[in-house]
Amino acid sequence: MSIVQKLLLLIPFFFTLNAHCITKHTELSPGNYSNSGVVRCHYKVKGRHLSNDQIYQRLNKYSRHIDIWTNNDHFIDFQTHEDLFKKINKISKTLDANCEVMIDKLDSLIKESFPTNRRDHGLFNEILRDYPNRNVDIFKVINTRNIHGKLSEYFFQDYRDLNSLEVWFHVLTQWFPDILNLQDLGSTFENNHLYALEINVNNKTSNPDGKTIVITGGTHSREWISISTVCYVMFQLLSDYESRINNKANHIFNSFNFIFIPVLNPDGYEYTWTTDRLWRKNRQDTENKECPGFDLDRTFGYHWQPTWEYPCSSNYNGKEPFIAKESQLLDQYIKKKFGPDKDEMLSVFLDFHSYSQEILYPFTYSCDVLPNDIENLLELAYDLSKSIRKFSGKQYDVRQGCKDRDADLNPAAGSGSLLDYMYDKGARISYQIKLRDTGNHGFLLPSRFIEPVGKEATEVMKTLCDFLLNPTTWMS
């Protein structure tokens, strides 16, 4: 297909979607966090671990405005009002921990995570607004590879809102029409689309069983870096394949099918752009109309239990499994895609989250049960961590999912995870990967880290595929 033909294919999209330009900073509402920050408390006793409930109970006398960001057997990070900073010594004594202020001005980090007005006039926005009316000169390039490079160069400079992501998905299907298919899995509670991007070169010789790798992001809406990372990995693999220079990429696509679901929680993600940057759940009604939303990563049916949290909690998972519309849609899609009479096989699952730089393996619901494939899971997880360390120098710790979810202290806290669900559905290699950083920015990683983190994740993907394609070399 010639460059002119490809551009003509794009015209209907840009006529229809030209209103979906990059949201200006002045149109965003990050929520009121002007007097908030994040405290980290290191346990004095190595390996000690307080449950979230214990932390809330102990700190309740100081403040009721606490949001636990992460909690493991080394430390706790929680968001709170800055007035609590003055009581840091009392908090340390109460939790038997050494506490410090990690982020003192939460609002400044929030503003830093949004696109800047300066970048609002970049190439990607020009295409969405103006093509084909003017600025056609930007297409006077040697070949489509140059166009892809310019698009991606601008696209990954900032985080993108939901409308811009959907435009991007449609554009990609026009650039790679022979191998990329955009699937609409259905409508969410707020009538957004849940999209999956399927890559399949239909090589029955190299991939007779239809082995498929599924990659998700954006389960928790405030974790923007997970969404940009899924998009980055997908685009990098597509670009490498199209260039015909990287034989490894060709071999990967001939050997595996891919499914990318960059935004598993579109309602929540949109809400983080328009109303509250740190919103975590989806936006579905609960039994309490004042407290909408379910924690998607606790709503899947494998070993589901109610967490007994109230609806206003950021961890609330409802009164029954698959209560969230998004988990229903994904469950229907997975069952339809990988049913017993289908020619595709679910092999690998990667679920990108943030933050803390960890690679988590099943199970999440219990620390007393290990997967049948534990040796392979551990070996590969450490190899993935090593590949990141060699590539960028960053350390990603390997942990069982239950240790990250309090399941060792409260089994209900680790139930209903997407990680366990996908392992049960056949993905014998399943990981949740928590991306950068280790706490200096937390969920508010600035956009300048999009490309470095995306490159780390791409290295993970290539290492993973090497492991699957050359298992004997790894076992020696």
Side-chain angles (χ1 to χ4, degrees):
M1 183 179 294
S2 69
I3 182 173
V4 175
Q5 289 173 314
K6 285 192 173 187
L7 293 177
L8 289 174
L9 284 171
L10 289 175
I11 292 175
F13 284 106
F14 294 129
F15 271 130
T16 305
L17 299 171
N18 61 4
H20 297 313
C21 58
I22 305 300
T23 309
K24 292 183 180 179
H25 187 78
T26 55
E27 297 169 351
L28 305 173
S29 179
N32 183 14
Y33 293 97
S34 58
N35 298 312
S36 296
V38 176
V39 172
R40 170 167 291 181
C41 295
H42 296 268
Y43 292 114
K44 292 181 180 179
V45 179
K46 186 177 180 180
R48 188 182 180 189
H49 190 187
L50 295 175
S51 70
N52 285 3
D53 287 342
Q54 290 172 320
I55 295 168
Y56 285 129
Q57 290 171 7
R58 294 189 182 196
L59 297 183
N60 186 55
K61 59 182 175 182
Y62 299 116
S63 175
R64 294 185 178 181
H65 303 288
I66 292 174
D67 179 13
I68 296 177
W69 280 23
T70 190
N71 179 22
N72 54 49
D73 54 5
H74 298 293
F75 60 83
I76 319 149
D77 287 355
F78 58 88
Q79 172 195 323
T80 187
H81 196 275
E82 64 179 7
D83 289 345
L84 213 59
F85 297 170
K86 304 171 185 176
K87 303 175 181 178
I88 200 78
N89 292 331
K90 292 182 179 179
I91 294 172
S92 296
K93 186 175 181 180
T94 300
L95 297 177
D96 191 23
N98 297 313
C99 299
E100 60 179 330
V101 177
M102 286 291 288
I103 301 173
D104 58 349
K105 297 295 182 182
L106 201 54
D107 57 334
S108 63
L109 286 186
I110 288 175
K111 292 176 182 177
E112 190 178 352
S113 68
F114 283 110
T116 61
N117 285 328
R118 176 178 58 83
R119 290 175 180 168
D120 210 32
H121 300 288
L123 175 62
F124 186 71
N125 204 36
E126 289 292 330
I127 295 174
L128 295 185
R129 285 178 174 173
D130 302 322
Y131 183 80
N133 300 321
R134 56 188 178 89
N135 291 328
V136 181
D137 286 347
I138 63 176
F139 291 108
K140 289 184 178 179
V141 291
I142 298 174
N143 53 41
T144 56
R145 175 69 176 173
N146 296 125
I147 295 178
H148 296 170
K150 288 187 176 182
L151 280 171
S152 61
E153 181 182 348
Y154 178 74
F155 183 76
F156 291 112
Q157 286 181 1
D158 275 316
Y159 296 108
R160 302 301 176 192
D161 63 14
L162 188 62
N163 283 340
S164 298
L165 286 172
E166 291 182 354
V167 172
W168 179 244
F169 299 158
H170 283 93
V171 168
L172 286 180
T173 61
Q174 298 307 306
W175 287 131
F176 307 98
D178 298 330
I179 63 172
L180 181 62
N181 179 43
L182 183 64
Q183 280 286 339
D184 188 346
L185 307 191
S187 297
T188 61
F189 180 78
E190 293 187 338
N191 293 316
N192 286 304
H193 297 280
L194 181 57
Y195 284 120
L197 294 101
E198 302 174 345
I199 300 175
N200 188 342
V201 301
N202 291 307
N203 192 324
K204 299 297 183 182
T205 302
S206 298
N207 189 14
D209 298 323
K211 294 179 180 178
T212 302
I213 299 174
V214 177
I215 304 99
T216 58
T219 304
H220 295 137
S221 50
R222 62 189 176 188
E223 299 172 13
W224 287 9
I225 189 64
S226 70
I227 294 168
S228 67
T229 298
V230 175
C231 292
Y232 189 96
V233 172
M234 175 177 60
F235 183 78
Q236 192 60 55
L237 291 177
L238 286 167
S239 297
D240 286 350
Y241 176 79
E242 185 200 37
S243 70
R244 305 296 180 185
I245 297 174
N246 191 327
N247 291 326
K248 179 180 287 188
N250 293 348
H251 189 33
I252 288 173
F253 276 2
N254 283 320
S255 303
F256 304 101
N257 302 332
F258 287 84
I259 296 173
F260 292 89
I261 305 176
V263 193
L264 189 58
N265 182 4
D267 292 354
Y269 184 61
E270 184 174 42
Y271 192 74
T272 62
W273 282 80
T274 61
T275 308
D276 183 354
R277 173 63 181 86
L278 292 174
W279 185 259
R280 183 173 188 266
K281 303 184 288 182
N282 74 355
R283 295 294 301 165
Q284 191 171 331
D285 282 347
T286 67
E287 58 269 29
N288 184 339
K289 296 295 184 181
E290 300 299 319
C291 298
F294 299 102
D295 177 0
L296 293 186
D297 205 22
R298 287 177 165 86
T299 60
F300 290 86
Y302 186 72
H303 283 272
W304 182 91
Q305 294 184 58
T307 59
W308 306 113
E309 305 247 8
Y310 56 96
C312 294
S313 168
S314 61
N315 296 321
Y316 184 59
N317 71 341
K319 295 184 176 180
E320 59 186 22
F322 294 111
I323 194 169
K325 188 67 181 294
E326 293 84 358
S327 57
Q328 294 173 25
L329 293 173
L330 184 60
D331 180 54
Q332 294 165 8
Y333 175 68
I334 294 297
K335 288 178 177 177
K336 182 178 179 181
K337 191 77 176 174
F338 303 107
D341 58 338
K342 303 299 180 181
D343 57 359
E344 291 186 76
M345 180 176 69
L346 177 59
S347 298
V348 178
F349 174 62
L350 297 181
D351 186 23
F352 286 106
H353 284 252
S354 70
Y355 63 98
S356 69
Q357 295 176 199
E358 295 178 331
I359 300 174
L360 306 178
Y361 60 89
F363 287 107
T364 301
Y365 79 90
S366 174
C367 289
D368 298 325
V369 182
L370 293 175
N372 294 330
D373 317 82
I374 184 62
E375 292 184 1
N376 287 337
L377 283 167
L378 282 173
E379 180 190 7
L380 177 54
Y382 282 110
D383 282 325
L384 297 179
S385 176
K386 181 180 178 181
S387 72
I388 297 173
R389 189 166 60 252
K390 289 175 63 178
F391 180 77
S392 64
K394 299 299 179 181
Q395 175 64 39
Y396 277 63
D397 295 327
V398 176
R399 300 165 57 84
Q400 190 174 6
C402 63
K403 295 289 187 180
D404 187 73
R405 295 286 287 272
D406 282 352
D408 51 339
L409 303 173
N410 174 15
S415 68
S417 75
L418 178 56
L419 177 66
D420 290 357
Y421 164 83
M422 293 295 278
Y423 180 84
D424 179 63
K425 290 300 178 186
R428 311 318 290 177
I429 294 178
S430 296
Y431 298 113
Q432 182 185 110
I433 300 180
K434 291 194 165 185
L435 302 163
R436 296 196 205 177
D437 59 7
T438 56
N440 291 327
H441 298 94
F443 300 120
L444 302 170
L445 200 65
S447 57
R448 66 179 180 272
F449 292 101
I450 291 175
E451 187 172 358
V453 174
K455 288 181 177 179
E456 285 177 359
T458 303
E459 190 68 20
V460 164
M461 182 63 66
K462 293 177 179 179
T463 303
L464 170 65
C465 292
D466 280 346
F467 179 92
L468 297 173
L469 294 171
N470 305 287
T472 56
T473 62
W474 292 85
M475 297 299 290
S476 59

